[in-house]
Amino acid sequence: MAVTINLDAYQGIIFDMDGTLVDSMKLHLKAWQLTAQRFGFAYDEAWLHSHGGTPTYGIAELINQYQQRSFDPFELVMSKRNYFDEIRHQVEVIPSTFSLLQQYQGQKRFAIGTGADAKTTDFILDALALRSLLDAVVCANDVTKHKPEPDTFLLAAQQLGLAPAQCVVFEDTKTGLAAAQAAGMDCFLVVNGEISQFVARP
């Protein structure tokens, strides 16, 4: 069920990218599925989706822990990235959030706060002509502590020149929600492409 969106209280809007502003999560999951087939580990889509926002290398390490395996994380990362690069051109914007980005141009300041690496982020923003609509971009390369730690969103707010309480986050995963909460920011959750829940900061 969609929720009423009122952004009057905020000066800054920070979007997660994959699964929130752009419909690329299914492409990341497909790349992991192909990697699982190649390396012979179990593909758990729900588990992988729950770790959305975690950098690829971090997910590779978690796969070893979760499945009690001993793969070289770097090899998993390279496989997943290669598969993703083959299909990344299929990425599209998510209408519900993209419409907000368009609607509030010139009224709010906008940032991306993503766990994707710089190469992937740059490709998606350029492919969908989103960069000119944004005031700041923070990706996995810009912070050392990733979601669910608050660093990604705190740096995004800093780059916007705003305090955390002046910003609201749009996210699609529990990991991202935890990061927004840790950053002291309100958060809208995007589920299956629809803005479906509001969670106030602690």
Side-chain angles (χ1 to χ4, degrees):
M1 180 182 295
V3 66
T4 302
I5 311 299
N6 186 334
L7 302 179
D8 292 346
Y10 314 104
Q11 296 182 43
I13 301 173
I14 305 173
F15 292 105
D16 169 53
M17 188 173 69
D18 298 311
T20 299
L21 185 59
V22 300
D23 189 12
S24 54
M25 198 66 174
K26 61 187 178 185
L27 305 182
H28 286 287
L29 291 171
K30 182 63 176 180
W32 275 120
Q33 182 181 28
L34 294 170
T35 296
Q37 293 173 356
R38 176 183 175 188
F39 284 85
F41 62 87
Y43 172 70
D44 187 335
E45 182 170 308
W47 180 86
L48 282 164
H49 190 279
S50 72
H51 287 87
T54 303
T56 306
Y57 192 90
I59 291 179
E61 291 182 313
L62 288 171
I63 287 171
N64 277 334
Q65 297 173 23
Y66 177 54
Q67 301 200 21
Q68 298 182 330
R69 306 295 289 269
S70 56
F71 298 114
D72 180 343
F74 182 74
E75 291 185 3
L76 295 184
V77 168
M78 293 307 297
S79 173
K80 186 267 178 179
R81 285 179 176 169
N82 287 337
Y83 283 126
F84 180 79
D85 286 350
E86 292 174 1
I87 57 176
R88 64 184 185 178
H89 63 280
Q90 299 174 23
V91 69
E92 300 173 334
V93 297
I94 293 177
S96 63
T97 47
F98 181 62
S99 64
L100 293 177
L101 186 61
Q102 294 176 304
Q103 177 183 348
Y104 287 96
Q105 283 296 306
Q107 302 175 51
K108 309 288 184 182
R109 295 181 63 77
F110 291 98
I112 286 287
T114 177
D117 60 53
K119 177 184 175 184
T120 300
T121 302
D122 287 343
F123 176 86
I124 289 176
L125 295 184
D126 292 339
L128 297 175
L130 293 173
R131 194 178 299 276
S132 64
L133 303 178
L134 301 166
D135 300 290
V137 176
V138 177
C139 67
N141 301 67
D142 299 318
V143 295
T144 55
K145 293 182 180 180
H146 302 99
K147 303 173 189 178
E149 299 298 324
D151 301 45
T152 298
F153 294 140
L154 290 176
L155 180 57
Q158 180 182 332
Q159 291 187 1
L160 292 177
L162 299 172
Q166 295 175 298
C167 300
V168 63
V169 169
F170 284 78
E171 261 287 357
D172 71 314
T173 67
K174 292 181 179 178
T175 301
L177 171 60
Q181 295 268 282
M185 300 180 187
D186 293 340
C187 184
F188 284 98
L189 283 174
V190 179
V191 179
N192 296 324
E194 296 296 331
I195 303 166
S196 63
Q197 184 180 355
F198 174 78
V199 182
R201 61 182 180 271

PDB file of all heavy atoms in Angstrom, residues 69-92:
ATOM      1  N   ARG A  69      31.651 -21.545   3.364  1.00  0.00           N
ATOM      2  CA  ARG A  69      32.516 -21.852   2.226  1.00  0.00           C
ATOM      3  C   ARG A  69      33.798 -21.060   2.336  1.00  0.00           C
ATOM      4  O   ARG A  69      33.958 -20.219   3.241  1.00  0.00           O
ATOM      5  CB  ARG A  69      31.790 -21.522   0.910  1.00  0.00           C
ATOM      6  CG  ARG A  69      30.413 -22.182   0.768  1.00  0.00           C
ATOM      7  CD  ARG A  69      30.506 -23.693   0.686  1.00  0.00           C
ATOM      8  NE  ARG A  69      31.077 -24.128  -0.588  1.00  0.00           N
ATOM      9  CZ  ARG A  69      30.366 -24.416  -1.672  1.00  0.00           C
ATOM     10  NH1 ARG A  69      29.042 -24.307  -1.642  1.00  0.00           N
ATOM     11  NH2 ARG A  69      30.950 -24.826  -2.779  1.00  0.00           N
ATOM     12  N   SER A  70      34.721 -21.286   1.434  1.00  0.00           N
ATOM     13  CA  SER A  70      36.024 -20.610   1.507  1.00  0.00           C
ATOM     14  C   SER A  70      36.450 -20.109   0.131  1.00  0.00           C
ATOM     15  O   SER A  70      37.599 -20.249  -0.272  1.00  0.00           O
ATOM     16  CB  SER A  70      37.092 -21.551   2.070  1.00  0.00           C
ATOM     17  OG  SER A  70      37.165 -22.745   1.295  1.00  0.00           O
ATOM     18  N   PHE A  71      35.494 -19.522  -0.597  1.00  0.00           N
ATOM     19  CA  PHE A  71      35.819 -18.943  -1.895  1.00  0.00           C
ATOM     20  C   PHE A  71      36.728 -17.725  -1.726  1.00  0.00           C
ATOM     21  O   PHE A  71      36.682 -17.043  -0.707  1.00  0.00           O
ATOM     22  CB  PHE A  71      34.541 -18.506  -2.617  1.00  0.00           C
ATOM     23  CG  PHE A  71      33.579 -19.624  -2.924  1.00  0.00           C
ATOM     24  CD1 PHE A  71      32.340 -19.664  -2.306  1.00  0.00           C
ATOM     25  CD2 PHE A  71      33.909 -20.625  -3.829  1.00  0.00           C
ATOM     26  CE1 PHE A  71      31.443 -20.682  -2.593  1.00  0.00           C
ATOM     27  CE2 PHE A  71      33.017 -21.650  -4.119  1.00  0.00           C
ATOM     28  CZ  PHE A  71      31.790 -21.684  -3.489  1.00  0.00           C
ATOM     29  N   ASP A  72      37.512 -17.450  -2.743  1.00  0.00           N
ATOM     30  CA  ASP A  72      38.262 -16.198  -2.779  1.00  0.00           C
ATOM     31  C   ASP A  72      37.250 -15.086  -3.061  1.00  0.00           C
ATOM     32  O   ASP A  72      36.655 -15.061  -4.147  1.00  0.00           O
ATOM     33  CB  ASP A  72      39.309 -16.262  -3.893  1.00  0.00           C
ATOM     34  CG  ASP A  72      40.144 -14.992  -3.990  1.00  0.00           C
ATOM     35  OD1 ASP A  72      39.735 -13.946  -3.429  1.00  0.00           O
ATOM     36  OD2 ASP A  72      41.201 -15.031  -4.637  1.00  0.00           O
ATOM     37  N   PRO A  73      37.007 -14.188  -2.108  1.00  0.00           N
ATOM     38  CA  PRO A  73      36.001 -13.134  -2.331  1.00  0.00           C
ATOM     39  C   PRO A  73      36.245 -12.333  -3.596  1.00  0.00           C
ATOM     40  O   PRO A  73      35.297 -11.949  -4.286  1.00  0.00           O
ATOM     41  CB  PRO A  73      36.127 -12.259  -1.075  1.00  0.00           C
ATOM     42  CG  PRO A  73      36.669 -13.174  -0.036  1.00  0.00           C
ATOM     43  CD  PRO A  73      37.613 -14.085  -0.776  1.00  0.00           C
ATOM     44  N   PHE A  74      37.508 -12.100  -3.916  1.00  0.00           N
ATOM     45  CA  PHE A  74      37.825 -11.310  -5.106  1.00  0.00           C
ATOM     46  C   PHE A  74      37.339 -12.012  -6.371  1.00  0.00           C
ATOM     47  O   PHE A  74      36.848 -11.361  -7.298  1.00  0.00           O
ATOM     48  CB  PHE A  74      39.334 -11.069  -5.184  1.00  0.00           C
ATOM     49  CG  PHE A  74      39.751 -10.213  -6.350  1.00  0.00           C
ATOM     50  CD1 PHE A  74      39.522  -8.842  -6.335  1.00  0.00           C
ATOM     51  CD2 PHE A  74      40.349 -10.773  -7.471  1.00  0.00           C
ATOM     52  CE1 PHE A  74      39.897  -8.050  -7.418  1.00  0.00           C
ATOM     53  CE2 PHE A  74      40.714  -9.991  -8.556  1.00  0.00           C
ATOM     54  CZ  PHE A  74      40.493  -8.625  -8.521  1.00  0.00           C
ATOM     55  N   GLU A  75      37.455 -13.345  -6.417  1.00  0.00           N
ATOM     56  CA  GLU A  75      36.985 -14.082  -7.589  1.00  0.00           C
ATOM     57  C   GLU A  75      35.468 -14.006  -7.722  1.00  0.00           C
ATOM     58  O   GLU A  75      34.939 -13.878  -8.832  1.00  0.00           O
ATOM     59  CB  GLU A  75      37.439 -15.546  -7.512  1.00  0.00           C
ATOM     60  CG  GLU A  75      38.936 -15.735  -7.676  1.00  0.00           C
ATOM     61  CD  GLU A  75      39.334 -17.199  -7.723  1.00  0.00           C
ATOM     62  OE1 GLU A  75      38.435 -18.061  -7.676  1.00  0.00           O
ATOM     63  OE2 GLU A  75      40.538 -17.478  -7.811  1.00  0.00           O
ATOM     64  N   LEU A  76      34.755 -14.081  -6.595  1.00  0.00           N
ATOM     65  CA  LEU A  76      33.306 -13.922  -6.631  1.00  0.00           C
ATOM     66  C   LEU A  76      32.921 -12.531  -7.117  1.00  0.00           C
ATOM     67  O   LEU A  76      31.995 -12.372  -7.925  1.00  0.00           O
ATOM     68  CB  LEU A  76      32.705 -14.171  -5.239  1.00  0.00           C
ATOM     69  CG  LEU A  76      32.823 -15.573  -4.647  1.00  0.00           C
ATOM     70  CD1 LEU A  76      32.084 -15.630  -3.310  1.00  0.00           C
ATOM     71  CD2 LEU A  76      32.270 -16.627  -5.593  1.00  0.00           C
ATOM     72  N   VAL A  77      33.631 -11.536  -6.605  1.00  0.00           N
ATOM     73  CA  VAL A  77      33.360 -10.148  -6.987  1.00  0.00           C
ATOM     74  C   VAL A  77      33.547  -9.949  -8.488  1.00  0.00           C
ATOM     75  O   VAL A  77      32.698  -9.357  -9.166  1.00  0.00           O
ATOM     76  CB  VAL A  77      34.266  -9.189  -6.196  1.00  0.00           C
ATOM     77  CG1 VAL A  77      34.201  -7.788  -6.792  1.00  0.00           C
ATOM     78  CG2 VAL A  77      33.841  -9.143  -4.735  1.00  0.00           C
ATOM     79  N   MET A  78      34.649 -10.433  -9.021  1.00  0.00           N
ATOM     80  CA  MET A  78      34.934 -10.244 -10.444  1.00  0.00           C
ATOM     81  C   MET A  78      33.895 -10.952 -11.314  1.00  0.00           C
ATOM     82  O   MET A  78      33.456 -10.423 -12.340  1.00  0.00           O
ATOM     83  CB  MET A  78      36.337 -10.749 -10.778  1.00  0.00           C
ATOM     84  CG  MET A  78      37.447  -9.924 -10.143  1.00  0.00           C
ATOM     85  SD  MET A  78      37.320  -8.137 -10.505  1.00  0.00           S
ATOM     86  CE  MET A  78      37.518  -8.165 -12.296  1.00  0.00           C
ATOM     87  N   SER A  79      33.484 -12.152 -10.888  1.00  0.00           N
ATOM     88  CA  SER A  79      32.457 -12.883 -11.628  1.00  0.00           C
ATOM     89  C   SER A  79      31.143 -12.116 -11.628  1.00  0.00           C
ATOM     90  O   SER A  79      30.516 -11.909 -12.679  1.00  0.00           O
ATOM     91  CB  SER A  79      32.258 -14.272 -11.018  1.00  0.00           C
ATOM     92  OG  SER A  79      31.161 -14.931 -11.622  1.00  0.00           O
ATOM     93  N   LYS A  80      30.724 -11.692 -10.432  1.00  0.00           N
ATOM     94  CA  LYS A  80      29.456 -10.970 -10.328  1.00  0.00           C
ATOM     95  C   LYS A  80      29.488  -9.691 -11.141  1.00  0.00           C
ATOM     96  O   LYS A  80      28.523  -9.355 -11.851  1.00  0.00           O
ATOM     97  CB  LYS A  80      29.150 -10.672  -8.857  1.00  0.00           C
ATOM     98  CG  LYS A  80      27.786 -10.039  -8.614  1.00  0.00           C
ATOM     99  CD  LYS A  80      27.851  -8.534  -8.602  1.00  0.00           C
ATOM    100  CE  LYS A  80      26.467  -7.917  -8.415  1.00  0.00           C
ATOM    101  NZ  LYS A  80      26.523  -6.455  -8.372  1.00  0.00           N
ATOM    102  N   ARG A  81      30.579  -8.940 -11.072  1.00  0.00           N
ATOM    103  CA  ARG A  81      30.674  -7.679 -11.803  1.00  0.00           C
ATOM    104  C   ARG A  81      30.664  -7.912 -13.306  1.00  0.00           C
ATOM    105  O   ARG A  81      30.056  -7.144 -14.062  1.00  0.00           O
ATOM    106  CB  ARG A  81      31.928  -6.919 -11.381  1.00  0.00           C
ATOM    107  CG  ARG A  81      31.806  -6.278 -10.012  1.00  0.00           C
ATOM    108  CD  ARG A  81      33.070  -5.555  -9.602  1.00  0.00           C
ATOM    109  NE  ARG A  81      32.895  -4.878  -8.325  1.00  0.00           N
ATOM    110  CZ  ARG A  81      33.887  -4.347  -7.625  1.00  0.00           C
ATOM    111  NH1 ARG A  81      35.137  -4.404  -8.087  1.00  0.00           N
ATOM    112  NH2 ARG A  81      33.651  -3.732  -6.473  1.00  0.00           N
ATOM    113  N   ASN A  82      31.339  -8.971 -13.759  1.00  0.00           N
ATOM    114  CA  ASN A  82      31.372  -9.258 -15.195  1.00  0.00           C
ATOM    115  C   ASN A  82      29.984  -9.609 -15.713  1.00  0.00           C
ATOM    116  O   ASN A  82      29.572  -9.141 -16.788  1.00  0.00           O
ATOM    117  CB  ASN A  82      32.350 -10.398 -15.485  1.00  0.00           C
ATOM    118  CG  ASN A  82      33.805  -9.965 -15.336  1.00  0.00           C
ATOM    119  OD1 ASN A  82      34.115  -8.783 -15.435  1.00  0.00           O
ATOM    120  ND2 ASN A  82      34.693 -10.912 -15.097  1.00  0.00           N
ATOM    121  N   TYR A  83      29.263 -10.426 -14.955  1.00  0.00           N
ATOM    122  CA  TYR A  83      27.900 -10.768 -15.360  1.00  0.00           C
ATOM    123  C   TYR A  83      27.002  -9.525 -15.357  1.00  0.00           C
ATOM    124  O   TYR A  83      26.176  -9.331 -16.256  1.00  0.00           O
ATOM    125  CB  TYR A  83      27.309 -11.837 -14.434  1.00  0.00           C
ATOM    126  CG  TYR A  83      27.813 -13.235 -14.701  1.00  0.00           C
ATOM    127  CD1 TYR A  83      28.368 -14.008 -13.680  1.00  0.00           C
ATOM    128  CD2 TYR A  83      27.730 -13.797 -15.973  1.00  0.00           C
ATOM    129  CE1 TYR A  83      28.825 -15.304 -13.914  1.00  0.00           C
ATOM    130  CE2 TYR A  83      28.187 -15.088 -16.222  1.00  0.00           C
ATOM    131  CZ  TYR A  83      28.730 -15.832 -15.185  1.00  0.00           C
ATOM    132  OH  TYR A  83      29.180 -17.107 -15.420  1.00  0.00           O
ATOM    133  N   PHE A  84      27.160  -8.685 -14.324  1.00  0.00           N
ATOM    134  CA  PHE A  84      26.344  -7.475 -14.240  1.00  0.00           C
ATOM    135  C   PHE A  84      26.639  -6.537 -15.404  1.00  0.00           C
ATOM    136  O   PHE A  84      25.709  -5.955 -15.992  1.00  0.00           O
ATOM    137  CB  PHE A  84      26.580  -6.747 -12.919  1.00  0.00           C
ATOM    138  CG  PHE A  84      25.762  -5.488 -12.770  1.00  0.00           C
ATOM    139  CD1 PHE A  84      24.420  -5.549 -12.420  1.00  0.00           C
ATOM    140  CD2 PHE A  84      26.328  -4.237 -12.987  1.00  0.00           C
ATOM    141  CE1 PHE A  84      23.656  -4.392 -12.303  1.00  0.00           C
ATOM    142  CE2 PHE A  84      25.579  -3.081 -12.869  1.00  0.00           C
ATOM    143  CZ  PHE A  84      24.240  -3.166 -12.521  1.00  0.00           C
ATOM    144  N   ASP A  85      27.907  -6.400 -15.758  1.00  0.00           N
ATOM    145  CA  ASP A  85      28.278  -5.508 -16.856  1.00  0.00           C
ATOM    146  C   ASP A  85      27.637  -5.932 -18.169  1.00  0.00           C
ATOM    147  O   ASP A  85      27.369  -5.091 -19.042  1.00  0.00           O
ATOM    148  CB  ASP A  85      29.799  -5.461 -17.008  1.00  0.00           C
ATOM    149  CG  ASP A  85      30.475  -4.649 -15.912  1.00  0.00           C
ATOM    150  OD1 ASP A  85      29.753  -3.964 -15.154  1.00  0.00           O
ATOM    151  OD2 ASP A  85      31.716  -4.715 -15.801  1.00  0.00           O
ATOM    152  N   GLU A  86      27.378  -7.236 -18.321  1.00  0.00           N
ATOM    153  CA  GLU A  86      26.784  -7.735 -19.554  1.00  0.00           C
ATOM    154  C   GLU A  86      25.313  -7.346 -19.686  1.00  0.00           C
ATOM    155  O   GLU A  86      24.782  -7.296 -20.804  1.00  0.00           O
ATOM    156  CB  GLU A  86      26.919  -9.262 -19.611  1.00  0.00           C
ATOM    157  CG  GLU A  86      28.357  -9.750 -19.783  1.00  0.00           C
ATOM    158  CD  GLU A  86      28.460 -11.264 -19.696  1.00  0.00           C
ATOM    159  OE1 GLU A  86      27.406 -11.930 -19.531  1.00  0.00           O
ATOM    160  OE2 GLU A  86      29.578 -11.795 -19.799  1.00  0.00           O
ATOM    161  N   ILE A  87      24.649  -7.079 -18.563  1.00  0.00           N
ATOM    162  CA  ILE A  87      23.207  -6.808 -18.608  1.00  0.00           C
ATOM    163  C   ILE A  87      22.832  -5.433 -18.056  1.00  0.00           C
ATOM    164  O   ILE A  87      21.659  -5.062 -18.041  1.00  0.00           O
ATOM    165  CB  ILE A  87      22.410  -7.889 -17.832  1.00  0.00           C
ATOM    166  CG1 ILE A  87      22.883  -7.977 -16.372  1.00  0.00           C
ATOM    167  CG2 ILE A  87      22.545  -9.238 -18.523  1.00  0.00           C
ATOM    168  CD1 ILE A  87      22.078  -8.966 -15.514  1.00  0.00           C
ATOM    169  N   ARG A  88      23.815  -4.664 -17.607  1.00  0.00           N
ATOM    170  CA  ARG A  88      23.511  -3.410 -16.914  1.00  0.00           C
ATOM    171  C   ARG A  88      22.805  -2.388 -17.804  1.00  0.00           C
ATOM    172  O   ARG A  88      22.145  -1.475 -17.309  1.00  0.00           O
ATOM    173  CB  ARG A  88      24.796  -2.800 -16.346  1.00  0.00           C
ATOM    174  CG  ARG A  88      25.813  -2.390 -17.390  1.00  0.00           C
ATOM    175  CD  ARG A  88      27.095  -1.886 -16.764  1.00  0.00           C
ATOM    176  NE  ARG A  88      28.033  -1.393 -17.769  1.00  0.00           N
ATOM    177  CZ  ARG A  88      29.214  -0.856 -17.492  1.00  0.00           C
ATOM    178  NH1 ARG A  88      29.614  -0.746 -16.235  1.00  0.00           N
ATOM    179  NH2 ARG A  88      29.993  -0.422 -18.460  1.00  0.00           N
ATOM    180  N   HIS A  89      22.927  -2.554 -19.127  1.00  0.00           N
ATOM    181  CA  HIS A  89      22.255  -1.622 -20.042  1.00  0.00           C
ATOM    182  C   HIS A  89      20.737  -1.720 -19.954  1.00  0.00           C
ATOM    183  O   HIS A  89      20.017  -0.860 -20.471  1.00  0.00           O
ATOM    184  CB  HIS A  89      22.702  -1.896 -21.486  1.00  0.00           C
ATOM    185  CG  HIS A  89      22.324  -3.260 -21.981  1.00  0.00           C
ATOM    186  ND1 HIS A  89      23.055  -4.387 -21.661  1.00  0.00           N
ATOM    187  CD2 HIS A  89      21.272  -3.686 -22.729  1.00  0.00           C
ATOM    188  CE1 HIS A  89      22.496  -5.447 -22.214  1.00  0.00           C
ATOM    189  NE2 HIS A  89      21.416  -5.052 -22.858  1.00  0.00           N
ATOM    190  N   GLN A  90      20.230  -2.768 -19.280  1.00  0.00           N
ATOM    191  CA  GLN A  90      18.787  -2.961 -19.158  1.00  0.00           C
ATOM    192  C   GLN A  90      18.178  -2.143 -18.014  1.00  0.00           C
ATOM    193  O   GLN A  90      16.968  -2.194 -17.792  1.00  0.00           O
ATOM    194  CB  GLN A  90      18.488  -4.445 -18.925  1.00  0.00           C
ATOM    195  CG  GLN A  90      18.952  -5.357 -20.049  1.00  0.00           C
ATOM    196  CD  GLN A  90      18.778  -6.827 -19.707  1.00  0.00           C
ATOM    197  OE1 GLN A  90      17.963  -7.199 -18.853  1.00  0.00           O
ATOM    198  NE2 GLN A  90      19.542  -7.684 -20.366  1.00  0.00           N
ATOM    199  N   VAL A  91      18.993  -1.394 -17.295  1.00  0.00           N
ATOM    200  CA  VAL A  91      18.517  -0.653 -16.131  1.00  0.00           C
ATOM    201  C   VAL A  91      17.506   0.425 -16.532  1.00  0.00           C
ATOM    202  O   VAL A  91      17.597   1.013 -17.612  1.00  0.00           O
ATOM    203  CB  VAL A  91      19.714  -0.033 -15.372  1.00  0.00           C
ATOM    204  CG1 VAL A  91      20.357   1.076 -16.188  1.00  0.00           C
ATOM    205  CG2 VAL A  91      19.281   0.498 -14.014  1.00  0.00           C
ATOM    206  N   GLU A  92      16.519   0.660 -15.639  1.00  0.00           N
ATOM    207  CA  GLU A  92      15.493   1.677 -15.865  1.00  0.00           C
ATOM    208  C   GLU A  92      15.250   2.441 -14.572  1.00  0.00           C
ATOM    209  O   GLU A  92      15.589   1.951 -13.487  1.00  0.00           O
ATOM    210  CB  GLU A  92      14.171   1.021 -16.308  1.00  0.00           C
ATOM    211  CG  GLU A  92      14.264   0.220 -17.592  1.00  0.00           C
ATOM    212  CD  GLU A  92      12.978  -0.533 -17.879  1.00  0.00           C
ATOM    213  OE1 GLU A  92      12.241  -0.832 -16.912  1.00  0.00           O
ATOM    214  OE2 GLU A  92      12.701  -0.804 -19.059  1.00  0.00           O
TER     215      GLU A  92
END
